[in-house]
């Protein structure tokens, strides 16, 4: 079985940035199938375009744009790509990066599929930093990585048992139409509105309104990278009631406008 070295991924790199502690690649996948292999360092795969099947010895992931995986090192897997153009963004960390952190790499064993919109927002911020690529890029990315692993680590260390309503709420938000009424949402979850409001941030690390807002803006971010819809279509697809509301929320979170992201999406 082949071992891939630091910064090595199957495909054609549109961009590759190498720093002391991590390597970033913007990669076009060109192989229909990649046989069993593993990487010497842990890394994130963030699918930007197309579709990808990734399987390890325990489970399979059917990735679409906006899906995010984390792999610890030595996690053997294989990939199958459809005929569509497929592109992924990777962040690979050197093993010694974890030695100076408040957590261990063993806290994140195997492969993890990440849905948390706050982590995806942070990943989008790293993507933007890579495209800007100035003297502050390394600092910006490393500080954001700390925030990502802190969010990944919290559910395992600070909360021992997750209530049933937490997973039910995730399903409602991700699989059904967003419910804007706290009373209706509480009724579906069969918990009191006051309890939901008080407990939400404990399990989601932000407010309910901001959590839903992040999901909408992250969806817009991925649709802009796909470049298949107009800005007006993206605005209404993601549930914003007008363009000014869409732009204001996007700029508040990513400190840039949707049109600037579209303009810079292919920067090397």
């Amino acid at each position: 079985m082949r071992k891939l070295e630091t910064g090595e991924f199957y495909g054609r790199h549109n961009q590759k940035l190498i720093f002391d502690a991590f390597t970033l690649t913007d990669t076009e996948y060109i192989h229909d199938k990649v046989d069993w292999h593993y990487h010497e360092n842990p890394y994130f795969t963030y699918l930007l375009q197309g579709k990808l099947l990734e399987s390890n010895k325990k489970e399979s992931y059917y990735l679409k744009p906006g899906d995010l995986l984390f792999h610890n090192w030595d996690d053997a897997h294989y990939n199958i790509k459809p005929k569509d153009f497929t592109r992924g963004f990777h962040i690979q960390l050197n093993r010694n990066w974890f030695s100076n952190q408040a957590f261990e790499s063993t806290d994140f064993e195997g492969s993890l599929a990440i849905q948390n919109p706050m982590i995806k927002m942070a990943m989008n911020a790293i993507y933007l930093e890579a495209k800007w690529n100035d003297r502050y890029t390394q600092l910006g990315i490393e500080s954001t990585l700390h925030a990502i692993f802190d969010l990944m680590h919290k559910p395992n260390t600070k909360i021992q048992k997750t209530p049933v309503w937490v997973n039910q709420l995730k399903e409602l938000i991700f699989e059904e139409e967003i419910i804007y009424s706290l009373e209706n949402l509480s009724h579906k979850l069969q918990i009191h509105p006051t309890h939901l409001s008080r407990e939400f941030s404990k399990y989601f690390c932000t407010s309910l309104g901001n959590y839903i807002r992040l999901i909408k803006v992250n969806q817009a971010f991925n649709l802009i990278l796909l470049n298949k819809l107009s800005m007006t279509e993206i605005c209404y697809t993601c549930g914003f009631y007008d363009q000014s509301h869409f732009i204001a929320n996007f700029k508040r979170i990513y400190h840039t406008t949707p049109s600037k992201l579209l303009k810079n999406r292919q920067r090397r």
Side-chain angles (χ1 to χ4, degrees), residues 6-7 15-25 94 133 138:
T6 301
Q15 183 187 36
K16 188 172 186 178
L17 299 178
I18 302 174
F19 300 99
D20 293 337
F22 49 87
T23 300
L24 289 78
T25 66
N94 296 341
N133 192 20
Q138 180 175 354

Side-chain angles (χ1 to χ4, degrees), residues 243-258:
Q243 290 245 35
S244 61
H245 182 234
F246 168 43
I247 293 170
N249 277 276
F250 194 94
K251 190 173 182 179
R252 180 181 63 83
I253 292 172
Y254 291 116
H255 309 292
T256 189
T257 63

Side-chain angles (χ1 to χ4, degrees), residues 27 29 44-54 61-69 79-82 85-90 120 123-124 127 221-222 225-226:
T27 302
Y29 301 124
F44 291 93
T45 294
Y46 188 36
L47 203 69
L48 302 177
Q49 293 176 264
K51 296 178 181 179
L52 188 69
L53 166 66
E54 184 160 310
Y61 303 98
Y62 296 87
L63 305 181
K64 61 185 183 303
D67 285 345
L68 176 64
L69 294 181
N79 305 99
I80 297 177
K81 180 188 80 67
F85 176 86
T86 304
R87 175 183 168 211
F89 182 65
H90 306 100
K120 289 189 176 182
M123 187 62 58
N124 290 337
Y127 173 87
F221 192 103
N222 294 123
L225 293 183
L226 287 175

Side-chain angles (χ1 to χ4, degrees), residues 200-218:
F200 184 88
S201 61
K202 177 180 178 181
Y203 296 96
F204 292 85
C205 303
T206 188
S207 68
L208 176 57
N210 194 52
Y211 188 85
I212 295 174
R213 195 177 295 114
L214 284 174
I215 291 173
K216 292 164 59 178
V217 173
N218 289 341

Side-chain angles (χ1 to χ4, degrees), residues 60 105 117:
S60 297
S105 63

Side-chain angles (χ1 to χ4, degrees), residues 161-216:
K161 187 175 180 181
T162 302
V164 173
W165 66 263
V166 171
N167 290 326
Q168 291 175 335
L169 178 56
K170 289 179 181 178
E171 291 178 5
L172 283 174
I173 292 175
F174 283 103
E175 297 179 10
E176 297 185 8
E177 183 178 351
I178 298 297
I179 303 169
Y180 294 97
S181 167
L182 180 63
E183 183 177 353
N184 289 340
L185 188 56
S186 300
H187 178 73
K188 277 184 170 289
L189 297 172
Q190 297 185 340
I191 60 175
H192 195 277
T194 301
H195 180 75
L196 174 59
S197 301
R198 182 177 62 243
E199 294 292 300
F200 184 88
S201 61
K202 177 180 178 181
Y203 296 96
F204 292 85
C205 303
T206 188
S207 68
L208 176 57
N210 194 52
Y211 188 85
I212 295 174
R213 195 177 295 114
L214 284 174
I215 291 173
K216 292 164 59 178

